[in-house]
Amino acid sequence: MTYKSSRDGILERIENFEKDSWINITDPSIEELKEVSQLCNIPIEFLEDPLDLEESARIEYDEETNCTLIINDFPTINNNNQFDSYITIPIGIILGTDYIVTVCSQSGDFLENLIKKNVNTLMKSRFALEILFSISTQYIEKLKKLNKQRLKIENNLRDSLTNKQLYDLMEIEKSLVYFLTSLKANADVITKLFRTNSVKLYEDDKDLLEDVRIENNQGIETTELYTRILNSITGSYSSLISNELNNTMKTLTLFTVFLTLPTLVFSFFGMNVILPIADNDPSSWIITLIIALIFVIWIGLVLSRRRIF
């Protein structure tokens, strides 16, 4: 889709490629990439690299076409999981002589926000900074959602502990790892924008770039904080699980001990040999029970003094 700012400052969708327009490409084919490359005089590599999900954030300049490529990672929902976890994928922002092009394998909410915001396509550098700022705010929003999910799971864990809840915590932790890695890579790109000469920045642009850096740093700090909290929670519940298992084994061991002693007594008096108690004595079974009970009370006192239970 192609957009261009009107004289009234409203971002309008247009059918053809025009000078000073914004070309937004999502999940394109090879033919579409070649067409955009030829019409806009953009290196084909600049259009292909952001489509690689493993591509790292960076800035690259091509002197022959006078084009600058800015690759940043943005968060998106992981469609392979029923739980609302996130991954990060790259988006390419290409600043050409006459065009600004964004290329990505998936569409992002932040691009729709830019359309509603009516950004000016004539100011290409500022347009790119608006995209970077919108990406940084996306991280903050997604982090708030992850934290709400964590609090909900934590409240449920206090009532009952299930494998599903632990798996959900693992998904949140995985999302935070994606966020922290991408945010730090984006921070390097933002730092390079302050020093690069290929992207011309005016004073207002520098102020906006500073806002982008502040927002990105806030995302890094928030992600690190949530990661530490999550690690603390998982560590605590791992200890609780281990403690519950120890208590269960302890209870089973005590039952085994108390049941073994009467069995030994009854087995001894059940042997087919001469015993101190006469076989024809009607009170012999009572004596056997008393002996077994004495053993049980004795072992119970010994275990109680050692604070085993």
Side-chain angles (χ1 to χ4, degrees), residues 26-162:
T26 303
D27 192 20
S29 62
I30 299 298
E31 291 74 16
E32 290 174 336
L33 294 179
K34 290 180 179 179
E35 181 183 359
V36 174
S37 176
Q38 292 175 358
L39 293 176
C40 301
N41 192 26
I42 295 174
I44 189 66
E45 296 81 8
F46 280 15
L47 297 171
E48 293 176 339
D49 289 349
L51 299 177
D52 183 5
L53 297 181
E54 302 298 328
E55 192 69 28
S56 58
R58 70 177 193 276
I59 299 178
E60 188 175 343
Y61 175 69
D62 183 72
E63 295 182 357
E64 184 177 350
T65 58
N66 193 27
C67 291
T68 301
L69 170 64
I70 303 174
I71 297 181
N72 249 36
D73 293 333
F74 71 93
T76 183
I77 292 180
N78 185 8
N79 294 324
N80 296 327
N81 199 325
Q82 296 180 354
F83 185 76
D84 288 341
S85 61
Y86 297 91
I87 59 174
T88 57
I89 61 176
I91 180 173
I93 307 169
I94 305 169
L95 303 178
T97 305
D98 299 323
Y99 303 93
I100 181 169
V101 181
T102 54
V103 55
C104 186
S105 59
Q106 297 181 21
S107 60
D109 297 338
F110 60 94
L111 294 177
E112 297 179 2
N113 296 334
L114 287 176
I115 297 173
K116 298 176 182 178
K117 194 176 180 180
N118 289 327
V119 292
N120 194 343
T121 57
L122 297 175
M123 305 171 65
K124 299 180 181 63
S125 298
R126 189 171 185 84
F127 188 92
L129 295 180
E130 290 284 358
I131 296 177
L132 296 181
F133 184 78
S134 184
I135 290 175
S136 298
T137 56
Q138 282 288 301
Y139 279 103
I140 301 298
E141 294 177 5
K142 299 299 188 280
L143 283 169
K144 291 180 180 178
K145 292 182 180 180
L146 285 175
N147 191 47
K148 289 181 180 179
Q149 292 177 346
R150 179 190 62 81
L151 292 174
K152 183 178 179 180
I153 295 172
E154 186 177 354
N155 290 331
N156 293 332
L157 281 174
R158 295 176 181 176
D159 299 328
S160 62
L161 184 63
T162 62

Side-chain angles (χ1 to χ4, degrees), residues 215-237:
E215 195 78 5
N216 193 83
N217 289 340
Q218 182 182 352
I220 293 175
E221 293 173 359
T222 305
T223 304
E224 290 177 341
L225 174 62
Y226 289 168
T227 301
R228 289 195 296 269
I229 293 174
L230 191 60
N231 290 337
S232 176
I233 291 173
T234 53
S236 298
Y237 278 102

